[in-house]
Amino acid sequence: MDRLWTDFVNSDYHDWRGGNRSEDRLGKAEWQQAFLKQWQLNATVPASSEEEGVLRNFRNELQAIATGLSDGNALSNKDQEWLNGIMEEGQVIRRLNAGDEGLNLSLIPVGTQWQQVMAEVAADFAITVVEGDGGRIRICDNTDCRWIFYDDTRSRTQKYCDDKMCGNLMKVRRFRAKLKKD
């Protein structure tokens, strides 16, 4: 299941099939527009070169924190302070709504800049850590892929970002390697 923060950090694309192709989608206006639309966020597209630099630094720091959690490390005080600083930049309005399934509370972003988007991404990451389990954050076992994902399986044993793509590819690679040995 995609989450706002995993979709953002995985904008650093690597060819999961083993090719040398990689792509930083963060700087592409098409990716920015699709990302904002999917997550119902607002910001100016394309992001300015200064904003892109800030977004890349944010993504790299978030990837580093997620990698640390996937390695079994706890969220440090420094990481908490950094996340809090990012989230402080994004103010929200709380709105109570009546829906088909009763009342729900919406948090509506006030800003429409990339700083607000980063605050929403950081908040989604913080919610994952608080409500979930940081130890469930994983990096795909396909070394060509390197996508970060949240393992929401009951057994906590998910190894690949997608069993149909990376999982099948790795199964075929193991099978072929076994045939070569025989």
Side-chain angles (χ1 to χ4, degrees), residues 144-161:
D144 294 321
C145 176
R146 298 185 270 192
W147 268 31
I148 296 174
F149 65 96
Y150 185 81
D151 177 5
D152 55 3
T153 62
R154 184 178 286 176
S155 63
R156 297 178 175 226
T157 58
Q158 187 174 346
K159 292 182 178 186
Y160 305 106
C161 63

Side-chain angles (χ1 to χ4, degrees), residues 13-22 142-146 165-166 169-170 173:
Y13 173 82
H14 301 277
D15 187 359
W16 59 275
R17 293 170 297 234
N20 291 329
R21 194 175 132 248
S22 64
N142 177 359
T143 55
D144 294 321
C145 176
R146 298 185 270 192
M165 294 185 338
C166 287
L169 177 70
M170 298 308 290
R173 285 181 182 173

Side-chain angles (χ1 to χ4, degrees), residues 24-175:
D24 185 355
R25 295 178 174 170
L26 194 57
K28 298 190 177 287
E30 305 82 38
W31 183 89
Q32 293 172 9
Q33 190 66 46
F35 176 80
L36 293 172
K37 183 179 179 184
Q38 178 179 350
W39 298 104
Q40 300 173 356
L41 299 169
N42 293 305
T44 304
V45 175
S48 70
S49 57
E50 181 181 310
E51 288 170 321
E52 278 185 40
V54 171
L55 289 167
R56 277 191 187 86
N57 289 338
F58 170 69
R59 181 187 61 198
N60 294 343
E61 186 67 29
L62 198 56
Q63 283 175 329
I65 293 171
T67 299
L69 291 172
S70 75
D71 290 339
N73 300 325
L75 196 64
S76 71
N77 288 337
K78 178 184 168 195
D79 294 338
Q80 289 176 40
E81 289 173 19
W82 179 79
L83 282 167
N84 283 333
I86 298 293
M87 289 187 293
E88 284 173 11
E89 296 296 320
Q91 297 179 12
V92 294
I93 296 172
R94 290 168 183 81
R95 180 165 289 151
L96 193 58
N97 303 306
D100 293 341
E101 297 181 19
L103 292 175
N104 62 39
L105 183 64
S106 298
L107 300 177
I108 302 163
V110 173
T112 59
Q113 344 47 11
W114 285 101
Q115 190 67 36
Q116 179 74 40
V117 171
M118 291 187 328
E120 297 300 320
V121 171
D124 188 58
F125 180 78
I127 288 168
T128 299
V129 173
V130 170
E131 292 180 357
D133 177 1
R136 286 181 173 248
I137 294 173
R138 306 265 192 270
I139 298 173
C140 185
D141 272 3
N142 177 359
T143 55
D144 294 321
C145 176
R146 298 185 270 192
W147 268 31
I148 296 174
F149 65 96
Y150 185 81
D151 177 5
D152 55 3
T153 62
R154 184 178 286 176
S155 63
R156 297 178 175 226
T157 58
Q158 187 174 346
K159 292 182 178 186
Y160 305 106
C161 63
D162 187 311
D163 286 337
K164 305 268 185 284
M165 294 185 338
C166 287
N168 283 345
L169 177 70
M170 298 308 290
K171 191 183 299 183
V172 167
R173 285 181 182 173
R174 283 191 305 272
F175 177 76

